[in-house]
Amino acid sequence: MRIVVLDGYTENPGDLSWEPLEAFGDLAVYDRTSTAESPLIAERIGNAEVAVTNKTPVSAATMDACPSLKLIAVLATGYNVVDTAAAKERGILVANVPTYGTQIVGQYAVGLLLEICSHYAHHDRAVKEGRWENSADWCFWDYPMIELSGKTAGIIGLGRIGKATARILNAMDMRVLAADNVQSEEGSRLAEYVDLDTLYAESDVIFLHCPLLPGTQGMINKESIARMKDGVILINNSRGPLIVEQDLADALNSGKVYAAGLDVVSTEPIRGDNPLLGAKNCFITPHISWAARAARQRIMDITAENIGAYAAGRPVNIVNL
């Protein structure tokens, strides 16, 4: 079996091994494949039976140019980079990695909140610049210190990651609300299910942990922000297009939204004209919630399991059946 990895660097910048995939046959690994050069994508897949991708798109045209292709293994949970309908029409299976990052993404979401509340990085820089050494007082702070105990957090999307976040917030003695179309007994032990209007009105902090769907795209906009508390904090490490970015930038600059912690934006890598880059009190990191080594090792292991299950004729984690 010939296997081609189109963009392996993000998954494995050198601290993991590709041996789990090499066990299945002839493996070629490309660190990056330009998404602007679709002929190059097809050229690199060539006569491979399995293509492995993270963010390199695999289109219907690419599939037509690669008649040997039988499995597209996505090194992620989201698989919108693959034309799954076209793959189904051509009898090509598409497998993803559904559960590798639950704990680390929840941890990261709360980490963004803690940075907003205490500005650790800013004060670390201030100390190293000599400001504490030369201070007339025994301590100083440049931003309000926010205590979270007793405040209300609202989670939009109480799936696996939403529940992981809720557990941490419960341990911090926060009241936790959740809005989700699918409710569960486990979820009700971690949060109080409410409708979106109630969540917007009562939450001091709002976490987005919902998928990007037609009904959720742009859900955070000037109308929904108007229904939120003045001074609300918004955390998003789910999907960038959940937010209308100009509306959030306006709300940050006016003070309606006190701060935002974002690990995702609408176009990635971020464009220089993104209005959030100049917005007040907006913390942006480069889509790295998932990137702990332990989580990436799980991606590697589950991808190997996906390929092995396909080779054995018992495919798993298939998203286009």
Side-chain angles (χ1 to χ4, degrees), residues 38-63:
S38 54
L40 178 61
I41 300 171
E43 178 184 326
R44 287 187 167 178
I45 296 173
N47 63 353
E49 186 173 345
V50 179
V52 180
T53 183
N54 186 330
K55 294 296 182 288
T56 301
V58 182
S59 65
T62 296
M63 297 174 203

mmCIF file of all heavy atoms in Angstrom, residues 38-63:
data_model
loop_
_atom_site.group_PDB
_atom_site.id
_atom_site.type_symbol
_atom_site.label_atom_id
_atom_site.label_comp_id
_atom_site.label_asym_id
_atom_site.label_seq_id
_atom_site.Cartn_x
_atom_site.Cartn_y
_atom_site.Cartn_z
ATOM 1 N N SER A 38 -3.137 23.374 -6.830
ATOM 2 C CA SER A 38 -3.896 22.128 -6.805
ATOM 3 C C SER A 38 -3.284 21.037 -7.673
ATOM 4 O O SER A 38 -3.348 19.849 -7.309
ATOM 5 C CB SER A 38 -5.352 22.375 -7.195
ATOM 6 O OG SER A 38 -5.442 23.042 -8.428
ATOM 7 N N PRO A 39 -2.662 21.354 -8.840
ATOM 8 C CA PRO A 39 -2.015 20.267 -9.590
ATOM 9 C C PRO A 39 -0.922 19.574 -8.788
ATOM 10 O O PRO A 39 -0.696 18.362 -8.950
ATOM 11 C CB PRO A 39 -1.449 20.977 -10.825
ATOM 12 C CG PRO A 39 -2.311 22.194 -10.983
ATOM 13 C CD PRO A 39 -2.627 22.630 -9.589
ATOM 14 N N LEU A 40 -0.240 20.329 -7.908
ATOM 15 C CA LEU A 40 0.819 19.734 -7.095
ATOM 16 C C LEU A 40 0.239 18.732 -6.098
ATOM 17 O O LEU A 40 0.860 17.702 -5.808
ATOM 18 C CB LEU A 40 1.590 20.824 -6.347
ATOM 19 C CG LEU A 40 2.706 20.352 -5.407
ATOM 20 C CD1 LEU A 40 3.774 19.599 -6.184
ATOM 21 C CD2 LEU A 40 3.312 21.546 -4.663
ATOM 22 N N ILE A 41 -0.957 19.013 -5.575
ATOM 23 C CA ILE A 41 -1.596 18.085 -4.642
ATOM 24 C C ILE A 41 -1.823 16.744 -5.325
ATOM 25 O O ILE A 41 -1.457 15.685 -4.798
ATOM 26 C CB ILE A 41 -2.919 18.678 -4.116
ATOM 27 C CG1 ILE A 41 -2.659 19.992 -3.378
ATOM 28 C CG2 ILE A 41 -3.628 17.680 -3.200
ATOM 29 C CD1 ILE A 41 -3.916 20.752 -3.007
ATOM 30 N N ALA A 42 -2.418 16.786 -6.517
ATOM 31 C CA ALA A 42 -2.672 15.546 -7.263
ATOM 32 C C ALA A 42 -1.363 14.863 -7.641
ATOM 33 O O ALA A 42 -1.267 13.627 -7.592
ATOM 34 C CB ALA A 42 -3.492 15.855 -8.511
ATOM 35 N N GLU A 43 -0.365 15.650 -7.997
ATOM 36 C CA GLU A 43 0.930 15.073 -8.378
ATOM 37 C C GLU A 43 1.546 14.319 -7.213
ATOM 38 O O GLU A 43 2.099 13.224 -7.382
ATOM 39 C CB GLU A 43 1.861 16.191 -8.845
ATOM 40 C CG GLU A 43 3.257 15.731 -9.227
ATOM 41 C CD GLU A 43 4.159 16.902 -9.596
ATOM 42 O OE1 GLU A 43 3.664 17.899 -10.170
ATOM 43 O OE2 GLU A 43 5.364 16.816 -9.296
ATOM 44 N N ARG A 44 1.441 14.885 -6.018
ATOM 45 C CA ARG A 44 2.046 14.234 -4.860
ATOM 46 C C ARG A 44 1.272 12.994 -4.432
ATOM 47 O O ARG A 44 1.871 12.008 -3.999
ATOM 48 C CB ARG A 44 2.164 15.234 -3.712
ATOM 49 C CG ARG A 44 3.273 16.250 -3.975
ATOM 50 C CD ARG A 44 3.537 17.158 -2.809
ATOM 51 N NE ARG A 44 4.789 17.896 -3.012
ATOM 52 C CZ ARG A 44 5.283 18.808 -2.179
ATOM 53 N NH1 ARG A 44 4.611 19.106 -1.068
ATOM 54 N NH2 ARG A 44 6.421 19.412 -2.447
ATOM 55 N N ILE A 45 -0.040 13.026 -4.548
ATOM 56 C CA ILE A 45 -0.814 11.817 -4.240
ATOM 57 C C ILE A 45 -0.509 10.732 -5.270
ATOM 58 O O ILE A 45 -0.276 9.573 -4.930
ATOM 59 C CB ILE A 45 -2.321 12.124 -4.197
ATOM 60 C CG1 ILE A 45 -2.636 13.090 -3.049
ATOM 61 C CG2 ILE A 45 -3.126 10.836 -4.036
ATOM 62 C CD1 ILE A 45 -4.073 13.578 -3.028
ATOM 63 N N GLY A 46 -0.497 11.123 -6.538
ATOM 64 C CA GLY A 46 -0.127 10.194 -7.605
ATOM 65 C C GLY A 46 -0.946 8.917 -7.566
ATOM 66 O O GLY A 46 -2.172 8.935 -7.573
ATOM 67 N N ASN A 47 -0.255 7.784 -7.492
ATOM 68 C CA ASN A 47 -0.933 6.483 -7.499
ATOM 69 C C ASN A 47 -1.122 5.926 -6.088
ATOM 70 O O ASN A 47 -1.317 4.716 -5.910
ATOM 71 C CB ASN A 47 -0.155 5.484 -8.356
ATOM 72 C CG ASN A 47 1.232 5.203 -7.788
ATOM 73 O OD1 ASN A 47 1.659 5.850 -6.839
ATOM 74 N ND2 ASN A 47 1.927 4.235 -8.374
ATOM 75 N N ALA A 48 -1.076 6.797 -5.081
ATOM 76 C CA ALA A 48 -1.238 6.333 -3.700
ATOM 77 C C ALA A 48 -2.659 5.838 -3.454
ATOM 78 O O ALA A 48 -3.630 6.373 -3.999
ATOM 79 C CB ALA A 48 -0.904 7.450 -2.720
ATOM 80 N N GLU A 49 -2.770 4.854 -2.595
ATOM 81 C CA GLU A 49 -4.080 4.335 -2.191
ATOM 82 C C GLU A 49 -4.651 5.141 -1.028
ATOM 83 O O GLU A 49 -5.870 5.257 -0.876
ATOM 84 C CB GLU A 49 -3.929 2.870 -1.782
ATOM 85 C CG GLU A 49 -5.236 2.166 -1.488
ATOM 86 C CD GLU A 49 -5.045 0.677 -1.245
ATOM 87 O OE1 GLU A 49 -3.956 0.146 -1.588
ATOM 88 O OE2 GLU A 49 -5.976 0.043 -0.722
ATOM 89 N N VAL A 50 -3.742 5.718 -0.219
ATOM 90 C CA VAL A 50 -4.158 6.485 0.962
ATOM 91 C C VAL A 50 -3.481 7.850 0.936
ATOM 92 O O VAL A 50 -2.256 7.942 0.781
ATOM 93 C CB VAL A 50 -3.778 5.749 2.266
ATOM 94 C CG1 VAL A 50 -4.186 6.580 3.484
ATOM 95 C CG2 VAL A 50 -4.421 4.368 2.320
ATOM 96 N N ALA A 51 -4.281 8.897 1.079
ATOM 97 C CA ALA A 51 -3.759 10.252 1.238
ATOM 98 C C ALA A 51 -4.068 10.714 2.648
ATOM 99 O O ALA A 51 -5.193 10.560 3.135
ATOM 100 C CB ALA A 51 -4.383 11.202 0.228
ATOM 101 N N VAL A 52 -3.069 11.275 3.301
ATOM 102 C CA VAL A 52 -3.222 11.769 4.665
ATOM 103 C C VAL A 52 -3.059 13.284 4.626
ATOM 104 O O VAL A 52 -2.068 13.798 4.094
ATOM 105 C CB VAL A 52 -2.164 11.143 5.602
ATOM 106 C CG1 VAL A 52 -2.342 11.657 7.029
ATOM 107 C CG2 VAL A 52 -2.255 9.618 5.561
ATOM 108 N N THR A 53 -4.039 13.997 5.177
ATOM 109 C CA THR A 53 -4.008 15.464 5.108
ATOM 110 C C THR A 53 -4.455 16.063 6.420
ATOM 111 O O THR A 53 -5.241 15.466 7.165
ATOM 112 C CB THR A 53 -4.895 15.983 3.961
ATOM 113 O OG1 THR A 53 -4.781 17.412 3.883
ATOM 114 C CG2 THR A 53 -6.370 15.615 4.176
ATOM 115 N N ASN A 54 -3.941 17.251 6.692
ATOM 116 C CA ASN A 54 -4.437 18.032 7.820
ATOM 117 C C ASN A 54 -5.275 19.177 7.289
ATOM 118 O O ASN A 54 -6.478 19.204 7.432
ATOM 119 C CB ASN A 54 -3.261 18.534 8.667
ATOM 120 C CG ASN A 54 -3.711 19.242 9.942
ATOM 121 O OD1 ASN A 54 -4.769 19.847 10.003
ATOM 122 N ND2 ASN A 54 -2.888 19.181 10.964
ATOM 123 N N LYS A 55 -4.635 20.122 6.593
ATOM 124 C CA LYS A 55 -5.368 21.259 6.049
ATOM 125 C C LYS A 55 -5.232 21.386 4.527
ATOM 126 O O LYS A 55 -5.809 22.299 3.937
ATOM 127 C CB LYS A 55 -4.890 22.561 6.711
ATOM 128 C CG LYS A 55 -5.230 22.650 8.202
ATOM 129 C CD LYS A 55 -6.728 22.688 8.425
ATOM 130 C CE LYS A 55 -7.093 22.832 9.892
ATOM 131 N NZ LYS A 55 -6.842 21.611 10.669
ATOM 132 N N THR A 56 -4.462 20.526 3.898
ATOM 133 C CA THR A 56 -4.360 20.566 2.442
ATOM 134 C C THR A 56 -5.662 20.044 1.838
ATOM 135 O O THR A 56 -6.070 18.919 2.138
ATOM 136 C CB THR A 56 -3.181 19.714 1.950
ATOM 137 O OG1 THR A 56 -1.970 20.220 2.532
ATOM 138 C CG2 THR A 56 -3.074 19.770 0.436
ATOM 139 N N PRO A 57 -6.331 20.837 1.000
ATOM 140 C CA PRO A 57 -7.637 20.411 0.476
ATOM 141 C C PRO A 57 -7.504 19.277 -0.535
ATOM 142 O O PRO A 57 -6.541 19.213 -1.307
ATOM 143 C CB PRO A 57 -8.182 21.679 -0.177
ATOM 144 C CG PRO A 57 -6.972 22.496 -0.522
ATOM 145 C CD PRO A 57 -5.965 22.199 0.558
ATOM 146 N N VAL A 58 -8.497 18.400 -0.510
ATOM 147 C CA VAL A 58 -8.571 17.332 -1.503
ATOM 148 C C VAL A 58 -9.922 17.477 -2.202
ATOM 149 O O VAL A 58 -10.969 17.179 -1.635
ATOM 150 C CB VAL A 58 -8.437 15.938 -0.865
ATOM 151 C CG1 VAL A 58 -8.464 14.861 -1.952
ATOM 152 C CG2 VAL A 58 -7.141 15.841 -0.058
ATOM 153 N N SER A 59 -9.881 17.967 -3.432
ATOM 154 C CA SER A 59 -11.090 18.305 -4.182
ATOM 155 C C SER A 59 -11.516 17.157 -5.083
ATOM 156 O O SER A 59 -10.789 16.164 -5.268
ATOM 157 C CB SER A 59 -10.836 19.541 -5.037
ATOM 158 O OG SER A 59 -9.855 19.241 -6.029
ATOM 159 N N ALA A 60 -12.674 17.331 -5.700
ATOM 160 C CA ALA A 60 -13.151 16.344 -6.669
ATOM 161 C C ALA A 60 -12.172 16.222 -7.825
ATOM 162 O O ALA A 60 -11.902 15.111 -8.312
ATOM 163 C CB ALA A 60 -14.538 16.746 -7.175
ATOM 164 N N ALA A 61 -11.633 17.351 -8.274
ATOM 165 C CA ALA A 61 -10.672 17.320 -9.386
ATOM 166 C C ALA A 61 -9.423 16.540 -9.005
ATOM 167 O O ALA A 61 -8.876 15.769 -9.813
ATOM 168 C CB ALA A 61 -10.318 18.738 -9.806
ATOM 169 N N THR A 62 -8.956 16.717 -7.782
ATOM 170 C CA THR A 62 -7.791 15.966 -7.312
ATOM 171 C C THR A 62 -8.099 14.478 -7.280
ATOM 172 O O THR A 62 -7.282 13.646 -7.704
ATOM 173 C CB THR A 62 -7.360 16.455 -5.921
ATOM 174 O OG1 THR A 62 -6.926 17.819 -6.014
ATOM 175 C CG2 THR A 62 -6.232 15.604 -5.361
ATOM 176 N N MET A 63 -9.279 14.137 -6.800
ATOM 177 C CA MET A 63 -9.671 12.716 -6.770
ATOM 178 C C MET A 63 -9.707 12.120 -8.170
ATOM 179 O O MET A 63 -9.246 10.992 -8.392
ATOM 180 C CB MET A 63 -11.037 12.564 -6.095
ATOM 181 C CG MET A 63 -11.065 12.994 -4.640
ATOM 182 S SD MET A 63 -12.761 12.958 -3.976
ATOM 183 C CE MET A 63 -12.611 14.113 -2.617
#
